[in-house]
């Protein structure tokens, strides 16, 4: 069912009307003034559910074209197929093709601050767990395994689910592989192949109270490790 709409009239000064016309002329489908105003209202209210198509204005087209020409002349540049795709898309106006083929570049994904904070807390917690576990005598390691279960033998950060927790997995990988944080986890897949966010979140929350007394040579005790692992 088409949502019920209500008609109303508005008056705009010439300068504002010119700005509306300039905005709609940059849209791929050249909407009417009324449709342009509706879209701008939705964007301003944060209600827009329709993703705007990826387009370039004439100035951007020229800049991108010149950059592809420069890269194409570099002897050691290997990705010539992508340059050809970009040039053909600009020449024919097929910008949708760039969205299809360059999904890792042309997208609207932005990491949520809460997700970044949780991943940092989880990595920090697991750093302490792994370091403390390695320093324990074998008798304490055996006790951890006996009280928690066989999986607690040499416990390690497993990552996040690559199917359902991709944002968290991507943040963790970027922190470690690109920013050089928590380098101990470098080289791991970061894909747990099962959901971990909820459980790791509970562990990190409990660890927060433990962390106050850590550092300066003091590590987690076997009892604290057991307490954390039982939450996972």
């Amino acid at each position: 069912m088409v949502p019920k709409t209500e008609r109303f009239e508005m008056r705009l000064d010439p300068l504002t009307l010119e700005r509306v016309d300039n905005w709609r002329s940059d849209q791929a489908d050249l909407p009417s003034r009324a449709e342009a105003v509706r879209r701008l209202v939705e964007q301003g209210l944060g209600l827009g559910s329709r993703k705007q198509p990826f387009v370039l204005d004439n100035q951007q087209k020229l800049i991108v074209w010149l950059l592809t020409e420069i890269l194409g002349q570099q002897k050691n540049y290997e990705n010539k197929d992508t340059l050809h795709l970009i040039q053909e898309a600009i020449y024919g106006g097929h910008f949708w093709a760039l969205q299809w083929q360059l999904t890792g570049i042309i997208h609207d994904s932005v990491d949520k601050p809460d997700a970044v904070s949780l991943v940092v807390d989880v990595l920090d917690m697991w750093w302490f767990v792994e370091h403390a576990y390695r320093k324990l005598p074998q008798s304490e390691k055996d006790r951890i395994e006996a009280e928690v279960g066989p999986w607690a033998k040499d416990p390690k950060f497993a990552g996040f689910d690559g199917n359902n927790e991709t944002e968290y997995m991507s943040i963790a990988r970027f922190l470690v592989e690109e920013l050089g944080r928590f380098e101990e986890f470098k080289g791991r897949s970061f894909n747990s192949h099962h959901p971990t966010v909820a459980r790791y979140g509970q562990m990190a929350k409990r660890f927060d109270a433990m962390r106050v007394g850590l550092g300066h040579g003091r590590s987690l005790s076997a009892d604290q490790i057991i307490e954390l692992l039982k939450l996972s």
Side-chain angles (χ1 to χ4, degrees):
M1 176 180 289
V2 178
K4 182 180 179 180
T5 59
E6 184 174 339
R7 179 183 178 84
F8 78 97
E9 296 183 4
M10 65 183 300
R11 300 180 68 85
L12 298 175
D13 62 83
L15 179 58
T16 302
L17 189 59
E18 181 181 358
R19 294 175 65 187
V20 171
D21 284 340
N22 290 337
W23 182 87
R24 71 190 186 94
S25 67
D26 288 336
Q27 308 309 302
D29 55 349
L30 189 61
S32 65
R33 283 179 172 175
E35 173 63 14
V37 170
R38 186 190 68 77
R39 293 183 190 178
L40 289 169
V41 169
E42 284 189 345
Q43 290 182 18
L45 295 175
L47 301 176
S49 59
R50 180 187 302 176
K51 289 186 177 181
Q52 296 298 316
F54 172 76
V55 294
L56 299 174
D57 60 30
N58 288 331
Q59 182 179 6
Q60 293 168 334
K61 291 176 189 176
L62 180 58
I63 292 173
V64 173
W65 184 279
L66 290 174
L67 288 174
T68 58
E69 286 289 298
I70 293 172
L71 285 174
Q73 294 175 13
Q74 305 303 308
K75 293 182 179 180
N76 296 326
Y77 190 79
E78 299 179 352
N79 205 356
K80 298 293 179 69
D81 289 341
T82 299
L83 295 183
H84 179 73
L85 170 67
I86 294 172
Q87 289 188 337
E88 288 299 310
I90 293 174
Y91 187 78
H94 310 306
F95 298 114
W96 55 268
L98 299 181
Q99 287 182 294
W100 281 20
Q101 295 297 108
L102 305 177
T103 55
I105 299 174
I106 303 174
H107 57 75
D108 300 318
S109 298
V110 178
D111 292 332
K112 296 188 288 291
D114 289 347
V116 175
S117 179
L118 185 142
V119 172
V120 171
D121 289 345
V122 168
L123 291 175
D124 183 54
M125 174 197 66
W126 274 108
W127 187 93
F128 276 95
V129 169
E130 293 189 16
H131 270 257
Y133 181 86
R134 284 199 297 269
K135 293 192 295 183
L136 291 174
Q138 189 59 47
S139 60
E140 291 287 69
K141 293 180 180 178
D142 293 340
R143 183 165 70 90
I144 291 174
E145 183 179 355
E147 293 193 29
V148 180
W151 73 269
K153 182 177 182 179
D154 194 19
K156 292 186 180 297
F157 170 62
F160 300 98
D161 187 9
N163 291 323
N164 303 299
E165 299 169 347
T166 53
E167 180 180 12
Y168 298 90
M169 186 179 74
S170 177
I171 293 170
R173 179 175 289 139
F174 192 83
L175 279 167
V176 176
E177 302 291 352
E178 302 300 331
L179 298 186
R181 306 295 178 89
F182 305 101
E183 290 189 346
E184 180 166 326
F185 304 130
K186 198 166 187 176
R188 301 189 188 183
S189 71
F190 299 98
N191 188 351
S192 61
H193 299 287
H194 62 274
T196 61
V197 168
R199 292 178 292 129
Y200 283 176
Q202 292 179 349
M203 293 173 66
K205 185 176 181 180
R206 182 67 191 94
F207 173 75
D208 189 51
M210 301 176 181
R211 201 190 193 295
V212 178
L214 300 178
H216 304 292
R218 185 176 178 184
S219 303
L220 289 168
S221 67
D223 289 332
Q224 288 175 316
I225 293 176
I226 290 171
E227 183 179 353
L228 290 172
L229 295 182
K230 282 185 174 181
L231 293 174
S232 64

